[in-house]
PDB file of all heavy atoms in Angstrom:
ATOM      1  N   ARG A  28     -25.647  -3.161 -49.746  1.00 90.00           N
ATOM      2  CA  ARG A  28     -25.972  -2.138 -48.747  1.00 90.00           C
ATOM      3  C   ARG A  28     -25.898  -2.724 -47.336  1.00 90.00           C
ATOM      4  O   ARG A  28     -25.442  -2.068 -46.411  1.00 90.00           O
ATOM      5  CB  ARG A  28     -27.361  -1.572 -49.021  1.00 90.00           C
ATOM      6  CG  ARG A  28     -27.798  -0.517 -48.024  1.00 90.00           C
ATOM      7  CD  ARG A  28     -29.112   0.119 -48.404  1.00 90.00           C
ATOM      8  NE  ARG A  28     -29.014   0.857 -49.655  1.00 90.00           N
ATOM      9  CZ  ARG A  28     -30.013   1.576 -50.162  1.00 90.00           C
ATOM     10  NH1 ARG A  28     -31.169   1.635 -49.526  1.00 90.00           N
ATOM     11  NH2 ARG A  28     -29.852   2.228 -51.299  1.00 90.00           N
ATOM     12  N   ARG A  29     -26.331  -3.965 -47.199  1.00 92.00           N
ATOM     13  CA  ARG A  29     -26.309  -4.627 -45.893  1.00 92.00           C
ATOM     14  C   ARG A  29     -24.879  -4.772 -45.369  1.00 92.00           C
ATOM     15  O   ARG A  29     -24.605  -4.519 -44.196  1.00 92.00           O
ATOM     16  CB  ARG A  29     -26.970  -6.002 -45.997  1.00 92.00           C
ATOM     17  CG  ARG A  29     -27.057  -6.763 -44.673  1.00 92.00           C
ATOM     18  CD  ARG A  29     -27.853  -8.052 -44.856  1.00 92.00           C
ATOM     19  NE  ARG A  29     -27.953  -8.790 -43.606  1.00 92.00           N
ATOM     20  CZ  ARG A  29     -27.048  -9.657 -43.185  1.00 92.00           C
ATOM     21  NH1 ARG A  29     -25.955  -9.876 -43.920  1.00 92.00           N
ATOM     22  NH2 ARG A  29     -27.201 -10.293 -42.038  1.00 92.00           N
ATOM     23  N   LEU A  30     -23.949  -5.177 -46.259  1.00 93.00           N
ATOM     24  CA  LEU A  30     -22.554  -5.321 -45.849  1.00 93.00           C
ATOM     25  C   LEU A  30     -21.954  -3.966 -45.492  1.00 93.00           C
ATOM     26  O   LEU A  30     -21.170  -3.857 -44.537  1.00 93.00           O
ATOM     27  CB  LEU A  30     -21.737  -5.983 -46.962  1.00 93.00           C
ATOM     28  CG  LEU A  30     -20.256  -6.217 -46.645  1.00 93.00           C
ATOM     29  CD1 LEU A  30     -20.095  -7.104 -45.413  1.00 93.00           C
ATOM     30  CD2 LEU A  30     -19.528  -6.831 -47.851  1.00 93.00           C
ATOM     31  N   CYS A  31     -22.296  -2.923 -46.235  1.00 93.00           N
ATOM     32  CA  CYS A  31     -21.795  -1.576 -45.928  1.00 93.00           C
ATOM     33  C   CYS A  31     -22.209  -1.146 -44.521  1.00 93.00           C
ATOM     34  O   CYS A  31     -21.377  -0.678 -43.733  1.00 93.00           O
ATOM     35  CB  CYS A  31     -22.314  -0.574 -46.950  1.00 93.00           C
ATOM     36  SG  CYS A  31     -21.625  -0.752 -48.602  1.00 93.00           S
ATOM     37  N   PHE A  32     -23.491  -1.315 -44.207  1.00 94.00           N
ATOM     38  CA  PHE A  32     -23.973  -0.968 -42.875  1.00 94.00           C
ATOM     39  C   PHE A  32     -23.309  -1.828 -41.804  1.00 94.00           C
ATOM     40  O   PHE A  32     -22.977  -1.341 -40.718  1.00 94.00           O
ATOM     41  CB  PHE A  32     -25.498  -1.114 -42.806  1.00 94.00           C
ATOM     42  CG  PHE A  32     -26.246   0.060 -43.368  1.00 94.00           C
ATOM     43  CD1 PHE A  32     -26.893  -0.036 -44.588  1.00 94.00           C
ATOM     44  CD2 PHE A  32     -26.286   1.272 -42.687  1.00 94.00           C
ATOM     45  CE1 PHE A  32     -27.574   1.051 -45.121  1.00 94.00           C
ATOM     46  CE2 PHE A  32     -26.969   2.365 -43.207  1.00 94.00           C
ATOM     47  CZ  PHE A  32     -27.611   2.253 -44.429  1.00 94.00           C
ATOM     48  N   LEU A  33     -23.107  -3.099 -42.102  1.00 95.00           N
ATOM     49  CA  LEU A  33     -22.488  -4.007 -41.140  1.00 95.00           C
ATOM     50  C   LEU A  33     -21.048  -3.597 -40.855  1.00 95.00           C
ATOM     51  O   LEU A  33     -20.622  -3.537 -39.684  1.00 95.00           O
ATOM     52  CB  LEU A  33     -22.536  -5.439 -41.677  1.00 95.00           C
ATOM     53  CG  LEU A  33     -21.940  -6.525 -40.764  1.00 95.00           C
ATOM     54  CD1 LEU A  33     -22.710  -6.596 -39.454  1.00 95.00           C
ATOM     55  CD2 LEU A  33     -21.941  -7.873 -41.473  1.00 95.00           C
ATOM     56  N   LEU A  34     -20.273  -3.314 -41.891  1.00 93.00           N
ATOM     57  CA  LEU A  34     -18.874  -2.900 -41.704  1.00 93.00           C
ATOM     58  C   LEU A  34     -18.780  -1.593 -40.926  1.00 93.00           C
ATOM     59  O   LEU A  34     -17.913  -1.431 -40.060  1.00 93.00           O
ATOM     60  CB  LEU A  34     -18.189  -2.755 -43.067  1.00 93.00           C
ATOM     61  CG  LEU A  34     -17.932  -4.051 -43.843  1.00 93.00           C
ATOM     62  CD1 LEU A  34     -17.412  -3.739 -45.236  1.00 93.00           C
ATOM     63  CD2 LEU A  34     -16.944  -4.939 -43.094  1.00 93.00           C
ATOM     64  N   SER A  35     -19.671  -0.659 -41.241  1.00 93.00           N
ATOM     65  CA  SER A  35     -19.677   0.615 -40.521  1.00 93.00           C
ATOM     66  C   SER A  35     -20.034   0.415 -39.050  1.00 93.00           C
ATOM     67  O   SER A  35     -19.388   0.975 -38.155  1.00 93.00           O
ATOM     68  CB  SER A  35     -20.671   1.566 -41.184  1.00 93.00           C
ATOM     69  OG  SER A  35     -20.752   2.783 -40.471  1.00 93.00           O
ATOM     70  N   ALA A  36     -21.073  -0.399 -38.790  1.00 94.00           N
ATOM     71  CA  ALA A  36     -21.499  -0.645 -37.410  1.00 94.00           C
ATOM     72  C   ALA A  36     -20.418  -1.354 -36.612  1.00 94.00           C
ATOM     73  O   ALA A  36     -20.160  -1.022 -35.443  1.00 94.00           O
ATOM     74  CB  ALA A  36     -22.786  -1.460 -37.404  1.00 94.00           C
ATOM     75  N   VAL A  37     -19.748  -2.329 -37.247  1.00 93.00           N
ATOM     76  CA  VAL A  37     -18.665  -3.055 -36.561  1.00 93.00           C
ATOM     77  C   VAL A  37     -17.525  -2.105 -36.208  1.00 93.00           C
ATOM     78  O   VAL A  37     -16.924  -2.217 -35.129  1.00 93.00           O
ATOM     79  CB  VAL A  37     -18.166  -4.220 -37.445  1.00 93.00           C
ATOM     80  CG1 VAL A  37     -16.859  -4.785 -36.910  1.00 93.00           C
ATOM     81  CG2 VAL A  37     -19.216  -5.321 -37.504  1.00 93.00           C
ATOM     82  N   SER A  38     -17.219  -1.170 -37.091  1.00 93.00           N
ATOM     83  CA  SER A  38     -16.155  -0.195 -36.820  1.00 93.00           C
ATOM     84  C   SER A  38     -16.452   0.591 -35.544  1.00 93.00           C
ATOM     85  O   SER A  38     -15.601   0.724 -34.662  1.00 93.00           O
ATOM     86  CB  SER A  38     -16.001   0.771 -38.006  1.00 93.00           C
ATOM     87  OG  SER A  38     -15.647   0.087 -39.176  1.00 93.00           O
ATOM     88  N   TRP A  39     -17.674   1.112 -35.453  1.00 93.00           N
ATOM     89  CA  TRP A  39     -18.059   1.890 -34.272  1.00 93.00           C
ATOM     90  C   TRP A  39     -18.118   1.017 -33.020  1.00 93.00           C
ATOM     91  O   TRP A  39     -17.637   1.411 -31.945  1.00 93.00           O
ATOM     92  CB  TRP A  39     -19.416   2.551 -34.503  1.00 93.00           C
ATOM     93  CG  TRP A  39     -19.361   3.738 -35.406  1.00 93.00           C
ATOM     94  CD1 TRP A  39     -19.564   3.764 -36.752  1.00 93.00           C
ATOM     95  CD2 TRP A  39     -19.058   5.089 -35.034  1.00 93.00           C
ATOM     96  NE1 TRP A  39     -19.423   5.038 -37.242  1.00 93.00           N
ATOM     97  CE2 TRP A  39     -19.117   5.876 -36.212  1.00 93.00           C
ATOM     98  CE3 TRP A  39     -18.761   5.712 -33.824  1.00 93.00           C
ATOM     99  CZ2 TRP A  39     -18.882   7.242 -36.207  1.00 93.00           C
ATOM    100  CZ3 TRP A  39     -18.532   7.087 -33.824  1.00 93.00           C
ATOM    101  CH2 TRP A  39     -18.585   7.829 -35.004  1.00 93.00           C
ATOM    102  N   LEU A  40     -18.701  -0.184 -33.140  1.00 93.00           N
ATOM    103  CA  LEU A  40     -18.844  -1.056 -31.972  1.00 93.00           C
ATOM    104  C   LEU A  40     -17.500  -1.519 -31.435  1.00 93.00           C
ATOM    105  O   LEU A  40     -17.306  -1.602 -30.213  1.00 93.00           O
ATOM    106  CB  LEU A  40     -19.707  -2.266 -32.329  1.00 93.00           C
ATOM    107  CG  LEU A  40     -21.204  -1.994 -32.508  1.00 93.00           C
ATOM    108  CD1 LEU A  40     -21.931  -3.240 -33.004  1.00 93.00           C
ATOM    109  CD2 LEU A  40     -21.822  -1.509 -31.192  1.00 93.00           C
ATOM    110  N   CYS A  41     -16.564  -1.828 -32.330  1.00 92.00           N
ATOM    111  CA  CYS A  41     -15.225  -2.228 -31.889  1.00 92.00           C
ATOM    112  C   CYS A  41     -14.554  -1.096 -31.117  1.00 92.00           C
ATOM    113  O   CYS A  41     -13.916  -1.328 -30.083  1.00 92.00           O
ATOM    114  CB  CYS A  41     -14.375  -2.640 -33.087  1.00 92.00           C
ATOM    115  SG  CYS A  41     -14.794  -4.249 -33.770  1.00 92.00           S
ATOM    116  N   GLY A  42     -14.684   0.127 -31.634  1.00 91.00           N
ATOM    117  CA  GLY A  42     -14.113   1.271 -30.928  1.00 91.00           C
ATOM    118  C   GLY A  42     -14.706   1.437 -29.548  1.00 91.00           C
ATOM    119  O   GLY A  42     -13.994   1.645 -28.561  1.00 91.00           O
ATOM    120  N   ILE A  43     -16.020   1.325 -29.444  1.00 93.00           N
ATOM    121  CA  ILE A  43     -16.698   1.492 -28.150  1.00 93.00           C
ATOM    122  C   ILE A  43     -16.301   0.397 -27.166  1.00 93.00           C
ATOM    123  O   ILE A  43     -15.971   0.672 -26.005  1.00 93.00           O
ATOM    124  CB  ILE A  43     -18.226   1.498 -28.361  1.00 93.00           C
ATOM    125  CG1 ILE A  43     -18.644   2.764 -29.112  1.00 93.00           C
ATOM    126  CG2 ILE A  43     -18.961   1.416 -27.020  1.00 93.00           C
ATOM    127  CD1 ILE A  43     -20.088   2.756 -29.572  1.00 93.00           C
ATOM    128  N   MET A  44     -16.295  -0.854 -27.615  1.00 93.00           N
ATOM    129  CA  MET A  44     -16.008  -1.965 -26.711  1.00 93.00           C
ATOM    130  C   MET A  44     -14.564  -1.951 -26.219  1.00 93.00           C
ATOM    131  O   MET A  44     -14.298  -2.148 -25.027  1.00 93.00           O
ATOM    132  CB  MET A  44     -16.316  -3.297 -27.404  1.00 93.00           C
ATOM    133  CG  MET A  44     -17.793  -3.561 -27.621  1.00 93.00           C
ATOM    134  SD  MET A  44     -18.147  -5.228 -28.215  1.00 93.00           S
ATOM    135  CE  MET A  44     -17.301  -5.231 -29.797  1.00 93.00           C
ATOM    136  N   VAL A  45     -13.638  -1.707 -27.138  1.00 91.00           N
ATOM    137  CA  VAL A  45     -12.222  -1.714 -26.767  1.00 91.00           C
ATOM    138  C   VAL A  45     -11.904  -0.612 -25.764  1.00 91.00           C
ATOM    139  O   VAL A  45     -11.272  -0.850 -24.724  1.00 91.00           O
ATOM    140  CB  VAL A  45     -11.341  -1.568 -28.033  1.00 91.00           C
ATOM    141  CG1 VAL A  45      -9.905  -1.234 -27.645  1.00 91.00           C
ATOM    142  CG2 VAL A  45     -11.378  -2.845 -28.845  1.00 91.00           C
ATOM    143  N   VAL A  46     -12.364   0.595 -26.047  1.00 92.00           N
ATOM    144  CA  VAL A  46     -12.038   1.725 -25.170  1.00 92.00           C
ATOM    145  C   VAL A  46     -12.798   1.621 -23.843  1.00 92.00           C
ATOM    146  O   VAL A  46     -12.290   2.052 -22.803  1.00 92.00           O
ATOM    147  CB  VAL A  46     -12.319   3.059 -25.883  1.00 92.00           C
ATOM    148  CG1 VAL A  46     -11.957   4.237 -24.988  1.00 92.00           C
ATOM    149  CG2 VAL A  46     -11.516   3.141 -27.178  1.00 92.00           C
ATOM    150  N   THR A  47     -13.978   1.030 -23.854  1.00 93.00           N
ATOM    151  CA  THR A  47     -14.702   0.802 -22.603  1.00 93.00           C
ATOM    152  C   THR A  47     -13.906  -0.113 -21.685  1.00 93.00           C
ATOM    153  O   THR A  47     -13.812   0.117 -20.462  1.00 93.00           O
ATOM    154  CB  THR A  47     -16.090   0.182 -22.876  1.00 93.00           C
ATOM    155  OG1 THR A  47     -16.860   1.093 -23.659  1.00 93.00           O
ATOM    156  CG2 THR A  47     -16.826  -0.097 -21.575  1.00 93.00           C
ATOM    157  N   LEU A  48     -13.310  -1.155 -22.258  1.00 93.00           N
ATOM    158  CA  LEU A  48     -12.464  -2.062 -21.471  1.00 93.00           C
ATOM    159  C   LEU A  48     -11.269  -1.327 -20.880  1.00 93.00           C
ATOM    160  O   LEU A  48     -10.975  -1.450 -19.679  1.00 93.00           O
ATOM    161  CB  LEU A  48     -11.991  -3.217 -22.360  1.00 93.00           C
ATOM    162  CG  LEU A  48     -10.950  -4.162 -21.758  1.00 93.00           C
ATOM    163  CD1 LEU A  48     -11.507  -4.868 -20.527  1.00 93.00           C
ATOM    164  CD2 LEU A  48     -10.474  -5.175 -22.807  1.00 93.00           C
ATOM    165  N   VAL A  49     -10.581  -0.548 -21.702  1.00 92.00           N
ATOM    166  CA  VAL A  49      -9.391   0.180 -21.225  1.00 92.00           C
ATOM    167  C   VAL A  49      -9.773   1.205 -20.167  1.00 92.00           C
ATOM    168  O   VAL A  49      -9.114   1.325 -19.124  1.00 92.00           O
ATOM    169  CB  VAL A  49      -8.674   0.857 -22.415  1.00 92.00           C
ATOM    170  CG1 VAL A  49      -7.544   1.757 -21.917  1.00 92.00           C
ATOM    171  CG2 VAL A  49      -8.130  -0.189 -23.376  1.00 92.00           C
ATOM    172  N   MET A  50     -10.866   1.937 -20.403  1.00 92.00           N
ATOM    173  CA  MET A  50     -11.271   2.971 -19.452  1.00 92.00           C
ATOM    174  C   MET A  50     -11.724   2.388 -18.120  1.00 92.00           C
ATOM    175  O   MET A  50     -11.528   2.991 -17.063  1.00 92.00           O
ATOM    176  CB  MET A  50     -12.394   3.829 -20.049  1.00 92.00           C
ATOM    177  CG  MET A  50     -11.952   4.737 -21.173  1.00 92.00           C
ATOM    178  SD  MET A  50     -10.561   5.793 -20.731  1.00 92.00           S
ATOM    179  CE  MET A  50     -11.171   6.591 -19.266  1.00 92.00           C
ATOM    180  N   SER A  51     -12.330   1.201 -18.149  1.00 91.00           N
ATOM    181  CA  SER A  51     -12.736   0.564 -16.887  1.00 91.00           C
ATOM    182  C   SER A  51     -11.523   0.240 -16.025  1.00 91.00           C
ATOM    183  O   SER A  51     -11.590   0.309 -14.793  1.00 91.00           O
ATOM    184  CB  SER A  51     -13.543  -0.706 -17.180  1.00 91.00           C
ATOM    185  OG  SER A  51     -12.730  -1.689 -17.805  1.00 91.00           O
ATOM    186  N   LEU A  52     -10.405  -0.085 -16.660  1.00 91.00           N
ATOM    187  CA  LEU A  52      -9.174  -0.358 -15.921  1.00 91.00           C
ATOM    188  C   LEU A  52      -8.495   0.943 -15.478  1.00 91.00           C
ATOM    189  O   LEU A  52      -8.001   1.036 -14.342  1.00 91.00           O
ATOM    190  CB  LEU A  52      -8.210  -1.178 -16.786  1.00 91.00           C
ATOM    191  CG  LEU A  52      -8.680  -2.586 -17.176  1.00 91.00           C
ATOM    192  CD1 LEU A  52      -7.714  -3.230 -18.160  1.00 91.00           C
ATOM    193  CD2 LEU A  52      -8.826  -3.463 -15.937  1.00 91.00           C
ATOM    194  N   MET A  53      -8.471   1.945 -16.352  1.00 90.00           N
ATOM    195  CA  MET A  53      -7.851   3.223 -16.002  1.00 90.00           C
ATOM    196  C   MET A  53      -8.561   3.899 -14.837  1.00 90.00           C
ATOM    197  O   MET A  53      -7.926   4.525 -13.975  1.00 90.00           O
ATOM    198  CB  MET A  53      -7.841   4.164 -17.211  1.00 90.00           C
ATOM    199  CG  MET A  53      -6.850   3.801 -18.293  1.00 90.00           C
ATOM    200  SD  MET A  53      -6.891   4.966 -19.683  1.00 90.00           S
ATOM    201  CE  MET A  53      -6.313   6.472 -18.886  1.00 90.00           C
ATOM    202  N   SER A  54      -9.876   3.777 -14.792  1.00 88.00           N
ATOM    203  CA  SER A  54     -10.656   4.457 -13.753  1.00 88.00           C
ATOM    204  C   SER A  54     -10.443   3.846 -12.368  1.00 88.00           C
ATOM    205  O   SER A  54     -10.773   4.476 -11.358  1.00 88.00           O
ATOM    206  CB  SER A  54     -12.145   4.420 -14.111  1.00 88.00           C
ATOM    207  OG  SER A  54     -12.614   3.084 -14.152  1.00 88.00           O
ATOM    208  N   GLN A  55      -9.905   2.637 -12.307  1.00 89.00           N
ATOM    209  CA  GLN A  55      -9.652   1.989 -11.027  1.00 89.00           C
ATOM    210  C   GLN A  55      -8.296   2.358 -10.432  1.00 89.00           C
ATOM    211  O   GLN A  55      -8.007   2.022  -9.286  1.00 89.00           O
ATOM    212  CB  GLN A  55      -9.741   0.468 -11.179  1.00 89.00           C
ATOM    213  CG  GLN A  55     -11.121  -0.030 -11.582  1.00 89.00           C
ATOM    214  CD  GLN A  55     -11.154  -1.525 -11.848  1.00 89.00           C
ATOM    215  OE1 GLN A  55     -10.321  -2.271 -11.342  1.00 89.00           O
ATOM    216  NE2 GLN A  55     -12.110  -1.969 -12.648  1.00 89.00           N
ATOM    217  N   LEU A  56      -7.473   3.046 -11.226  1.00 88.00           N
ATOM    218  CA  LEU A  56      -6.152   3.439 -10.747  1.00 88.00           C
ATOM    219  C   LEU A  56      -6.251   4.660  -9.837  1.00 88.00           C
ATOM    220  O   LEU A  56      -7.207   5.429  -9.909  1.00 88.00           O
ATOM    221  CB  LEU A  56      -5.237   3.760 -11.936  1.00 88.00           C
ATOM    222  CG  LEU A  56      -4.995   2.633 -12.943  1.00 88.00           C
ATOM    223  CD1 LEU A  56      -4.127   3.141 -14.095  1.00 88.00           C
ATOM    224  CD2 LEU A  56      -4.354   1.426 -12.278  1.00 88.00           C
ATOM    225  N   LYS A  57      -5.227   4.825  -8.995  1.00 87.00           N
ATOM    226  CA  LYS A  57      -5.123   6.009  -8.149  1.00 87.00           C
ATOM    227  C   LYS A  57      -4.099   6.960  -8.751  1.00 87.00           C
ATOM    228  O   LYS A  57      -3.045   6.536  -9.219  1.00 87.00           O
ATOM    229  CB  LYS A  57      -4.721   5.617  -6.728  1.00 87.00           C
ATOM    230  CG  LYS A  57      -5.766   4.785  -6.003  1.00 87.00           C
ATOM    231  CD  LYS A  57      -5.328   4.448  -4.592  1.00 87.00           C
ATOM    232  CE  LYS A  57      -6.404   3.626  -3.861  1.00 87.00           C
ATOM    233  NZ  LYS A  57      -5.987   3.277  -2.473  1.00 87.00           N
ATOM    234  N   TYR A  58      -4.440   8.245  -8.706  1.00 85.00           N
ATOM    235  CA  TYR A  58      -3.569   9.263  -9.291  1.00 85.00           C
ATOM    236  C   TYR A  58      -3.078  10.184  -8.180  1.00 85.00           C
ATOM    237  O   TYR A  58      -3.865  10.885  -7.550  1.00 85.00           O
ATOM    238  CB  TYR A  58      -4.323  10.032 -10.384  1.00 85.00           C
ATOM    239  CG  TYR A  58      -4.719   9.128 -11.533  1.00 85.00           C
ATOM    240  CD1 TYR A  58      -5.926   8.433 -11.500  1.00 85.00           C
ATOM    241  CD2 TYR A  58      -3.870   8.934 -12.611  1.00 85.00           C
ATOM    242  CE1 TYR A  58      -6.283   7.580 -12.534  1.00 85.00           C
ATOM    243  CE2 TYR A  58      -4.217   8.085 -13.655  1.00 85.00           C
ATOM    244  CZ  TYR A  58      -5.419   7.417 -13.605  1.00 85.00           C
ATOM    245  OH  TYR A  58      -5.754   6.563 -14.625  1.00 85.00           O
ATOM    246  N   CYS A  59      -1.754  10.154  -7.966  1.00 80.00           N
ATOM    247  CA  CYS A  59      -1.171  10.800  -6.795  1.00 80.00           C
ATOM    248  C   CYS A  59      -0.489  12.124  -7.102  1.00 80.00           C
ATOM    249  O   CYS A  59      -0.096  12.834  -6.191  1.00 80.00           O
ATOM    250  CB  CYS A  59      -0.126   9.872  -6.153  1.00 80.00           C
ATOM    251  SG  CYS A  59      -0.725   8.212  -5.846  1.00 80.00           S
ATOM    252  N   GLY A  60      -0.283  12.436  -8.324  1.00 69.00           N
ATOM    253  CA  GLY A  60       0.468  13.626  -8.661  1.00 69.00           C
ATOM    254  C   GLY A  60       1.923  13.271  -8.951  1.00 69.00           C
ATOM    255  O   GLY A  60       2.383  12.207  -8.563  1.00 69.00           O
ATOM    256  N   PRO A  61       2.648  14.127  -9.667  1.00 76.00           N
ATOM    257  CA  PRO A  61       2.169  15.432 -10.150  1.00 76.00           C
ATOM    258  C   PRO A  61       0.989  15.261 -11.106  1.00 76.00           C
ATOM    259  O   PRO A  61       0.800  14.201 -11.675  1.00 76.00           O
ATOM    260  CB  PRO A  61       3.386  16.012 -10.863  1.00 76.00           C
ATOM    261  CG  PRO A  61       4.168  14.811 -11.315  1.00 76.00           C
ATOM    262  CD  PRO A  61       3.986  13.792 -10.233  1.00 76.00           C
ATOM    263  N   HIS A  62       0.200  16.317 -11.221  1.00 82.00           N
ATOM    264  CA  HIS A  62      -1.006  16.231 -12.037  1.00 82.00           C
ATOM    265  C   HIS A  62      -0.903  17.025 -13.330  1.00 82.00           C
ATOM    266  O   HIS A  62      -1.914  17.452 -13.887  1.00 82.00           O
ATOM    267  CB  HIS A  62      -2.235  16.656 -11.232  1.00 82.00           C
ATOM    268  CG  HIS A  62      -2.137  18.048 -10.676  1.00 82.00           C
ATOM    269  ND1 HIS A  62      -3.100  18.592  -9.875  1.00 82.00           N
ATOM    270  CD2 HIS A  62      -1.186  19.000 -10.817  1.00 82.00           C
ATOM    271  CE1 HIS A  62      -2.755  19.814  -9.540  1.00 82.00           C
ATOM    272  NE2 HIS A  62      -1.610  20.079 -10.108  1.00 82.00           N
ATOM    273  N   GLU A  63       0.318  17.221 -13.813  1.00 85.00           N
ATOM    274  CA  GLU A  63       0.524  17.943 -15.066  1.00 85.00           C
ATOM    275  C   GLU A  63       0.706  16.964 -16.217  1.00 85.00           C
ATOM    276  O   GLU A  63       1.558  16.069 -16.164  1.00 85.00           O
ATOM    277  CB  GLU A  63       1.748  18.851 -14.962  1.00 85.00           C
ATOM    278  CG  GLU A  63       1.565  20.008 -13.989  1.00 85.00           C
ATOM    279  CD  GLU A  63       2.785  20.908 -13.955  1.00 85.00           C
ATOM    280  OE1 GLU A  63       3.875  20.459 -14.398  1.00 85.00           O
ATOM    281  OE2 GLU A  63       2.669  22.053 -13.497  1.00 85.00           O
ATOM    282  N   ILE A  64      -0.123  17.095 -17.251  1.00 86.00           N
ATOM    283  CA  ILE A  64      -0.044  16.263 -18.455  1.00 86.00           C
ATOM    284  C   ILE A  64       0.639  17.073 -19.542  1.00 86.00           C
ATOM    285  O   ILE A  64       0.108  18.094 -19.991  1.00 86.00           O
ATOM    286  CB  ILE A  64      -1.454  15.828 -18.917  1.00 86.00           C
ATOM    287  CG1 ILE A  64      -2.144  15.010 -17.819  1.00 86.00           C
ATOM    288  CG2 ILE A  64      -1.361  15.022 -20.209  1.00 86.00           C
ATOM    289  CD1 ILE A  64      -3.578  14.650 -18.163  1.00 86.00           C
ATOM    290  N   ASP A  65       1.818  16.621 -19.960  1.00 84.00           N
ATOM    291  CA  ASP A  65       2.584  17.353 -20.967  1.00 84.00           C
ATOM    292  C   ASP A  65       2.057  17.020 -22.363  1.00 84.00           C
ATOM    293  O   ASP A  65       2.715  16.383 -23.177  1.00 84.00           O
ATOM    294  CB  ASP A  65       4.073  17.013 -20.859  1.00 84.00           C
ATOM    295  CG  ASP A  65       4.935  17.943 -21.707  1.00 84.00           C
ATOM    296  OD1 ASP A  65       4.399  18.972 -22.182  1.00 84.00           O
ATOM    297  OD2 ASP A  65       6.129  17.646 -21.893  1.00 84.00           O
ATOM    298  N   HIS A  66       0.822  17.438 -22.604  1.00 85.00           N
ATOM    299  CA  HIS A  66       0.159  17.185 -23.889  1.00 85.00           C
ATOM    300  C   HIS A  66      -0.993  18.167 -24.009  1.00 85.00           C
ATOM    301  O   HIS A  66      -1.318  18.871 -23.053  1.00 85.00           O
ATOM    302  CB  HIS A  66      -0.350  15.751 -23.956  1.00 85.00           C
ATOM    303  CG  HIS A  66      -0.220  15.142 -25.331  1.00 85.00           C
ATOM    304  ND1 HIS A  66      -0.623  15.793 -26.469  1.00 85.00           N
ATOM    305  CD2 HIS A  66       0.247  13.933 -25.744  1.00 85.00           C
ATOM    306  CE1 HIS A  66      -0.391  15.022 -27.519  1.00 85.00           C
ATOM    307  NE2 HIS A  66       0.139  13.875 -27.106  1.00 85.00           N
ATOM    308  N   PHE A  67      -1.626  18.187 -25.205  1.00 86.00           N
ATOM    309  CA  PHE A  67      -2.760  19.096 -25.375  1.00 86.00           C
ATOM    310  C   PHE A  67      -4.093  18.359 -25.296  1.00 86.00           C
ATOM    311  O   PHE A  67      -5.149  18.969 -25.425  1.00 86.00           O
ATOM    312  CB  PHE A  67      -2.652  19.871 -26.698  1.00 86.00           C
ATOM    313  CG  PHE A  67      -2.560  19.016 -27.927  1.00 86.00           C
ATOM    314  CD1 PHE A  67      -3.719  18.603 -28.583  1.00 86.00           C
ATOM    315  CD2 PHE A  67      -1.334  18.638 -28.444  1.00 86.00           C
ATOM    316  CE1 PHE A  67      -3.645  17.826 -29.715  1.00 86.00           C
ATOM    317  CE2 PHE A  67      -1.255  17.854 -29.582  1.00 86.00           C
ATOM    318  CZ  PHE A  67      -2.410  17.442 -30.222  1.00 86.00           C
ATOM    319  N   PHE A  68      -4.055  17.041 -25.081  1.00 88.00           N
ATOM    320  CA  PHE A  68      -5.271  16.281 -24.823  1.00 88.00           C
ATOM    321  C   PHE A  68      -4.917  15.077 -23.952  1.00 88.00           C
ATOM    322  O   PHE A  68      -3.742  14.772 -23.738  1.00 88.00           O
ATOM    323  CB  PHE A  68      -5.970  15.846 -26.119  1.00 88.00           C
ATOM    324  CG  PHE A  68      -5.236  14.789 -26.910  1.00 88.00           C
ATOM    325  CD1 PHE A  68      -5.591  13.456 -26.816  1.00 88.00           C
ATOM    326  CD2 PHE A  68      -4.194  15.131 -27.768  1.00 88.00           C
ATOM    327  CE1 PHE A  68      -4.924  12.483 -27.541  1.00 88.00           C
ATOM    328  CE2 PHE A  68      -3.531  14.171 -28.513  1.00 88.00           C
ATOM    329  CZ  PHE A  68      -3.897  12.837 -28.387  1.00 88.00           C
TER     330      PHE A  68
END
């Protein structure tokens, strides 16, 4: 049970840490336009 909880927690923590790093870099960029995103998300 301990390993199950550990693997699950690591999965979530890795996702949070990795995307936090990427988003910290993306948020420092300047966006000049055009502002149309050809996607649904």
Side-chain angles (χ1 to χ4, degrees):
R28 179 174 296 184
R29 182 174 180 273
L30 181 59
C31 290
F32 279 107
L33 181 62
L34 290 173
S35 177
V37 167
S38 299
W39 284 94
L40 287 174
C41 285
I43 292 170
M44 290 188 297
V45 166
V46 181
T47 298
L48 172 62
V49 173
M50 289 306 306
S51 66
L52 296 173
M53 287 180 65
S54 63
Q55 297 175 24
L56 300 177
K57 295 181 179 180
Y58 297 88
C59 309
H62 58 183
E63 292 182 342
I64 300 175
D65 191 12
H66 217 312
F67 57 89
F68 70 99

